[in-house]
Short mmCIF file of all heavy atoms in Angstrom, two decimals:
data_model
loop_
_atom_site.label_atom_id
_atom_site.label_comp_id
_atom_site.label_asym_id
_atom_site.label_seq_id
_atom_site.Cartn_x
_atom_site.Cartn_y
_atom_site.Cartn_z
N PHE A 449 14.68 19.99 -19.07
CA PHE A 449 15.02 21.15 -18.23
C PHE A 449 15.16 22.40 -19.09
O PHE A 449 14.62 23.47 -18.75
CB PHE A 449 16.32 20.88 -17.48
CG PHE A 449 16.67 21.95 -16.47
CD1 PHE A 449 16.28 21.84 -15.15
CD2 PHE A 449 17.41 23.07 -16.86
CE1 PHE A 449 16.61 22.82 -14.22
CE2 PHE A 449 17.74 24.06 -15.95
CZ PHE A 449 17.34 23.93 -14.62
N ALA A 450 15.86 22.27 -20.22
CA ALA A 450 16.05 23.42 -21.11
C ALA A 450 14.72 23.91 -21.67
O ALA A 450 14.47 25.12 -21.76
CB ALA A 450 17.00 23.05 -22.25
N ALA A 451 13.85 22.97 -22.05
CA ALA A 451 12.54 23.34 -22.59
C ALA A 451 11.70 24.05 -21.53
O ALA A 451 11.04 25.06 -21.81
CB ALA A 451 11.81 22.11 -23.10
N SER A 452 11.71 23.54 -20.30
CA SER A 452 10.95 24.15 -19.22
C SER A 452 11.48 25.54 -18.90
O SER A 452 10.70 26.49 -18.67
CB SER A 452 11.00 23.27 -17.97
OG SER A 452 10.48 21.98 -18.23
N LEU A 453 12.81 25.68 -18.87
CA LEU A 453 13.41 26.98 -18.59
C LEU A 453 13.07 27.98 -19.70
O LEU A 453 12.77 29.15 -19.41
CB LEU A 453 14.92 26.84 -18.45
CG LEU A 453 15.70 28.10 -18.07
CD1 LEU A 453 15.22 28.63 -16.73
CD2 LEU A 453 17.20 27.82 -18.04
N ALA A 454 13.10 27.52 -20.96
CA ALA A 454 12.75 28.39 -22.08
C ALA A 454 11.30 28.85 -21.95
O ALA A 454 10.98 30.04 -22.17
CB ALA A 454 12.96 27.66 -23.41
N ALA A 455 10.40 27.93 -21.61
CA ALA A 455 8.99 28.29 -21.45
C ALA A 455 8.81 29.29 -20.31
O ALA A 455 8.02 30.23 -20.42
CB ALA A 455 8.16 27.04 -21.20
N LEU A 456 9.57 29.10 -19.24
CA LEU A 456 9.46 30.02 -18.11
C LEU A 456 9.93 31.42 -18.49
O LEU A 456 9.29 32.43 -18.16
CB LEU A 456 10.28 29.47 -16.94
CG LEU A 456 10.10 30.15 -15.57
CD1 LEU A 456 10.29 29.16 -14.45
CD2 LEU A 456 11.09 31.31 -15.39
N LEU A 457 11.05 31.50 -19.21
CA LEU A 457 11.59 32.81 -19.61
C LEU A 457 10.69 33.51 -20.61
O LEU A 457 10.48 34.72 -20.54
CB LEU A 457 12.99 32.63 -20.19
CG LEU A 457 14.06 32.13 -19.20
CD1 LEU A 457 15.39 31.91 -19.91
CD2 LEU A 457 14.23 33.11 -18.04
N VAL A 458 10.13 32.74 -21.55
CA VAL A 458 9.24 33.34 -22.56
C VAL A 458 7.99 33.92 -21.89
O VAL A 458 7.41 34.89 -22.39
CB VAL A 458 8.86 32.28 -23.63
CG1 VAL A 458 7.67 32.73 -24.46
CG2 VAL A 458 10.05 32.02 -24.53
N GLY A 459 7.58 33.34 -20.76
CA GLY A 459 6.41 33.84 -20.06
C GLY A 459 6.55 35.28 -19.60
O GLY A 459 5.55 35.95 -19.33
N PHE A 460 7.79 35.76 -19.48
CA PHE A 460 8.01 37.14 -19.05
C PHE A 460 7.92 38.13 -20.21
O PHE A 460 8.02 39.34 -19.99
CB PHE A 460 9.38 37.27 -18.37
CG PHE A 460 9.46 36.54 -17.07
CD1 PHE A 460 10.28 35.42 -16.93
CD2 PHE A 460 8.71 36.95 -15.98
CE1 PHE A 460 10.36 34.75 -15.72
CE2 PHE A 460 8.79 36.28 -14.76
CZ PHE A 460 9.61 35.17 -14.64
N ILE A 461 7.77 37.64 -21.43
CA ILE A 461 7.65 38.52 -22.60
C ILE A 461 6.20 38.90 -22.78
O ILE A 461 5.34 38.02 -22.91
CB ILE A 461 8.17 37.82 -23.87
CG1 ILE A 461 9.64 37.42 -23.70
CG2 ILE A 461 7.99 38.70 -25.09
CD1 ILE A 461 10.19 36.59 -24.84
N PRO A 462 5.87 40.18 -22.82
CA PRO A 462 4.47 40.59 -22.98
C PRO A 462 3.90 40.09 -24.31
O PRO A 462 4.52 40.29 -25.36
CB PRO A 462 4.54 42.12 -22.95
CG PRO A 462 5.83 42.44 -22.29
CD PRO A 462 6.77 41.33 -22.66
#
Side-chain angles (χ1 to χ4, degrees):
F449 186 93
S452 301
L453 183 60
L456 191 148
L457 295 177
V458 165
F460 293 112
I461 300 174

